[in-house]
Amino acid sequence: MKKVIIFLMAVGSLLTVSCESNTYGEVSVVTNPTYRDNIGPLFTAKCTGCHKNGDQLPDLQTYDEVKDAIVNGNVICLIDNPGECFFSGYMPPTGRMQQTTIDMVKLWKDQGFVN
């Protein structure tokens, strides 16, 4: 019986140590996204490596460029459902963004593109 208890304690300790709260990436829900705090940094990190200075259209470096691209349907479909777009793959090309990120961009649009 003592060996069973020691074994269970060891397994429990291993499971506790091996688990990490952000195993699947940080997931935070933004309820009032703004361009300055949320959308701008997101597009800078995920998009402007390619979408700048006419290298790859649409340009996505400024508030107006990002807003226009979303209004014209050139962004949401690429990050959410590329089957509805002229382009045949997800953006960014490294893979589909987390659903919470996609939802934040949609919410920013629905709330009137707060700067």
Side-chain angles (χ1 to χ4, degrees), residues 7-99:
F7 175 75
L8 290 175
M9 289 176 56
V11 169
S13 296
L14 286 174
L15 290 174
T16 302
V17 172
S18 67
C19 293
E20 190 174 315
S21 64
N22 64 351
T23 302
Y24 298 106
E26 292 297 323
V27 177
S28 61
V29 177
V30 178
T31 56
N32 294 304
T34 65
Y35 181 81
R36 184 184 61 111
D37 293 337
N38 310 104
I39 305 302
L42 168 68
F43 277 79
T44 297
K46 300 284 188 182
C47 307
T48 60
C50 297
H51 292 273
K52 63 179 183 228
N53 304 322
D55 294 342
Q56 179 72 36
L57 295 177
D59 282 340
L60 298 171
Q61 291 180 280
T62 68
Y63 169 87
D64 289 328
E65 290 171 344
V66 172
K67 178 182 173 188
D68 289 345
I70 290 173
V71 168
N72 293 327
N74 295 327
V75 170
I76 296 292
C77 65
L78 291 175
I79 63 173
D80 191 19
N81 189 4
E84 298 176 5
C85 305
F86 65 91
F87 184 81
S88 62
Y90 284 112
M91 285 284 124
T94 55
R96 187 174 190 271
M97 290 186 198
Q98 291 182 347
Q99 189 61 47

